[in-house]
Amino acid sequence: MENPLTWADLKVFEPDLGEDVSDAMIAATWVKAKKIAPCIGELDADPDQIELVRSTMRAVVLRWHDTGSGAVRQQTAGDFGETFSSYSGGLWRPDEIDDLQGVCGQAVTGKASTIATWGEPTTQTNPFLLG
């Protein structure tokens, strides 16, 4: 699969995003996507898989554009001052990583589980554990 995301895909959602900036962000996102899910660069994907990769990358690029450079801004008014940082902690969200890796059929890890810490199960302690 070639990079499925284009400037035209982004300008529908963000008309002010220039083509040169868009192309640079798309290229960086594509490289990272191939690192997260190595098979997507070699995959002959069906249209649903292509759209999943495209929409995931689009969300990442648009969020990146919204957060800007991540630089810290400060604002003061008299004795009052605020400091803002638009850094979100990372470019890719866990669900986006899972989506890309799912296209490759890679196992998704990090599932929740429960460990029972009470005594032997009986109908008085927990009826859902029986039968």
Side-chain angles (χ1 to χ4, degrees):
M1 171 190 321
E2 304 235 351
N3 186 342
L5 190 63
T6 66
W7 176 55
D9 296 322
L10 298 173
K11 73 178 184 175
V12 171
F13 296 96
E14 187 59 57
D16 297 333
L17 183 59
E19 188 172 6
D20 54 341
V21 172
S22 173
D23 289 345
M25 294 172 91
I26 289 169
T29 304
W30 177 241
V31 168
K32 184 69 173 183
K34 290 191 299 184
K35 184 175 181 180
I36 291 169
C39 81
I40 65 173
E42 304 162 6
L43 192 64
D44 289 330
D46 66 43
D48 289 341
Q49 289 176 322
I50 293 170
E51 185 54 37
L52 178 66
V53 173
R54 178 185 296 120
S55 65
T56 302
M57 288 178 56
R58 180 181 343 156
V60 170
V61 171
L62 291 174
R63 186 173 54 251
W64 183 9
H65 175 69
D66 285 343
T67 60
S69 67
V72 174
R73 298 184 327 243
Q74 293 183 341
Q75 178 178 351
T76 57
D79 293 337
F80 179 73
E82 293 179 300
T83 302
F84 302 98
S85 174
S86 58
Y87 177 69
S88 65
L91 190 58
W92 294 82
R93 293 182 175 165
D95 61 317
E96 294 164 340
I97 293 170
D98 288 347
D99 286 345
L100 289 180
Q101 290 177 344
V103 169
C104 293
Q106 295 172 329
V108 178
T109 59
K111 300 294 182 190
S113 63
T114 303
I115 299 173
T117 58
W118 54 84
E120 291 295 317
T122 66
T123 55
Q124 287 93 16
T125 59
N126 192 340
F128 298 106
L129 291 178
L130 298 178

